[in-house]
Amino acid sequence: MSFKAVLVLLAIGAVTVAAVPTPVEIEGESALVQRLLSSPAMRSDLFNGDCVEYYTPLLKGHVDKYNDDFSACRDSYNGAFALIDSSFRGARDELTASVTGTCLSLLNCDGLTSNSDAFGCLASGGPSASKQLEQASYKASDNQTSLLTQVSEIKDTETRCQIEAYRTYNTNHGDCYDDMLACLGDPNWEFPSTNYVL
């Protein structure tokens, strides 16, 4: 195999490992394992069928735990996001009141009877209103920056949580799968007297 081909395969492997599979992807893997384990070849005399019967629910248990852990990470993020978002409600209400008041002062100019009075109202009130809207824009930008910074921090926490959930799943599921493969070729294997620990 050429050096370039090796580099391409290593790059693909690195990208694959770096991504945290979603529960749907894990469920797909679990379904594939189930199909393989129920194939005629696996049920033949060459393999110990008791191993399949014993380890299949254990493998599914690891998948279910990963799904639960992944969901817990997402639920924690959603709860933290709701708290952060609600903490900015007062600032938003204050800006809304300010902007509404400024805009209403200009809209009131339209209610004046004569065109001359309406033009005068807009001419005198416009510069002040413009400054007030500009200040509101600055405050909104500052609030958005602060909110997004806090959200970014909890998003990082969610990502770390999901990566840890996947690492735990990958280790436990992998160990369980290796144990199953080891016993498939062992005709003397019998059901353990104690349950396998998930």
Side-chain angles (χ1 to χ4, degrees):
M1 183 181 295
S2 72
F3 180 69
K4 287 182 180 177
V6 170
L7 288 179
V8 169
L9 290 174
L10 287 174
I12 291 170
V15 169
T16 303
V17 169
V20 177
T22 63
V24 171
E25 291 168 332
I26 295 294
E27 285 292 347
E29 175 194 329
S30 178
L32 177 60
V33 169
Q34 294 295 330
R35 284 196 299 274
L36 290 173
L37 294 179
S38 63
S39 70
M42 294 294 276
R43 293 293 187 183
S44 71
D45 291 338
L46 299 175
F47 296 99
N48 186 334
D50 289 341
C51 291
V52 175
E53 184 179 343
Y54 177 74
Y55 281 102
T56 297
L58 296 176
L59 290 169
K60 184 179 183 316
H62 291 300
V63 172
D64 292 343
K65 183 171 185 334
Y66 174 67
N67 288 340
D68 291 344
D69 291 346
F70 191 94
S71 294
C73 296
R74 186 184 56 235
D75 292 345
S76 179
Y77 167 82
N78 289 340
F81 178 85
L83 287 174
I84 291 169
D85 195 57
S86 65
S87 73
F88 284 86
R89 187 65 204 192
R92 177 180 174 176
D93 290 344
E94 182 181 322
L95 282 173
T96 299
S98 171
V99 169
T100 301
T102 301
C103 292
L104 282 176
S105 69
L106 294 177
L107 289 173
N108 286 337
C109 295
D110 189 48
L112 298 175
T113 305
S114 73
N115 291 331
S116 175
D117 291 341
F119 292 146
C121 176
L122 288 170
S124 65
S128 173
S130 176
K131 287 180 183 177
Q132 290 172 2
L133 291 175
E134 185 178 46
Q135 290 302 313
S137 174
Y138 293 151
K139 288 180 183 176
S141 179
D142 290 344
N143 283 324
Q144 183 185 37
T145 299
S146 179
L147 189 153
L148 291 178
T149 299
Q150 292 180 47
V151 168
S152 176
E153 290 171 3
I154 63 169
K155 189 64 181 173
D156 288 345
T157 300
E158 179 194 31
T159 300
R160 285 193 302 272
C161 177
Q162 290 173 343
I163 288 171
E164 185 57 33
Y166 178 67
R167 285 178 180 162
T168 300
Y169 158 78
N170 200 36
T171 299
N172 294 340
H173 183 274
D175 290 347
C176 185
Y177 189 74
D178 289 345
D179 290 346
M180 183 191 73
L181 291 179
C183 92
L184 282 173
D186 181 1
N188 299 319
W189 183 90
E190 296 179 359
F191 276 95
S193 57
T194 58
N195 288 333
Y196 192 93
V197 178
L198 287 178

